[in-house]
Amino acid sequence: MCMSARINISQVEPKSIQAMMGLESYMGDVDLPANLRQLIKIRASIINNCAYCIQMHTLESKRLGEDEQRLFALAAWQESPLFSEQERIVLSLTDAVTQIYNNGVSDALYTQCLELLGEHALAQCMMQIVTINAWNRIAVATKMIF
């Protein structure tokens, strides 16, 4: 497959990537477990067809000790018994926010998330989902290669 060269945003507008890295740095300091943050990143990247981010975050997940079977199952997590109740609700939220154009985040899902996660973890999950979606859009639009 022949891909034409596209801009490298970090070279053309480095301050924009610095701002994104500030958000990424913030996400590294939140209370959400690193493996859960990676599951969010991989799931959103699967939905957005972002090969660059899928590769990056599956490698990071493996480095953190994540089981490969769970990584494989992320594509069909709803049918898999490999995820905890907390992971399932976070993956539901990831799907809803990533595909916000469908029906948004339903009141029922929001209430479930709030009850299971609490305000701070819910806010942190939302910010992680928003952050990876922004990265996905940069990577897909510029055809980044890992």
Side-chain angles (χ1 to χ4, degrees), residues 20-21 24 37-62 71 74 128-146:
M20 286 292 297
M21 291 306 294
E24 195 65 43
R37 291 194 321 267
Q38 292 302 316
L39 292 177
I40 291 168
K41 291 176 182 184
I42 296 165
R43 179 60 188 164
S45 298
I46 289 169
I47 293 168
N48 290 323
N49 293 316
C50 184
Y52 182 92
C53 293
I54 292 168
Q55 186 173 0
M56 176 190 298
H57 297 298
T58 54
L59 289 172
E60 178 63 16
S61 289
K62 285 175 65 177
L71 296 176
L74 274 173
Q128 183 62 82
I129 297 164
V130 168
T131 302
I132 190 57
N133 272 279
W135 284 121
N136 287 167
R137 280 147 178 76
I138 292 167
V140 171
T142 61
K143 296 191 181 279
M144 289 174 63
I145 298 172
F146 192 81

Side-chain angles (χ1 to χ4, degrees), residues 85-129:
E85 180 183 13
Q86 180 188 41
E87 291 167 337
R88 295 179 78 71
I89 200 69
V90 169
L91 291 169
S92 291
L93 182 65
T94 301
D95 286 6
V97 173
T98 300
Q99 300 173 69
I100 200 86
Y101 52 83
N102 280 339
N103 296 311
V105 176
S106 71
D107 290 342
L109 176 57
Y110 179 85
T111 300
Q112 285 180 303
C113 290
L114 188 58
E115 288 173 357
L116 186 61
L117 302 171
E119 287 183 342
H120 290 282
L122 175 55
Q124 292 170 4
C125 283
M126 285 184 175
M127 288 308 300
Q128 183 62 82
I129 297 164

Side-chain angles (χ1 to χ4, degrees), residues 68-81:
E68 286 184 351
Q69 291 302 313
R70 285 169 38 94
L71 296 176
F72 300 149
L74 274 173
W77 68 266
Q78 301 92 334
E79 303 299 323
S80 174

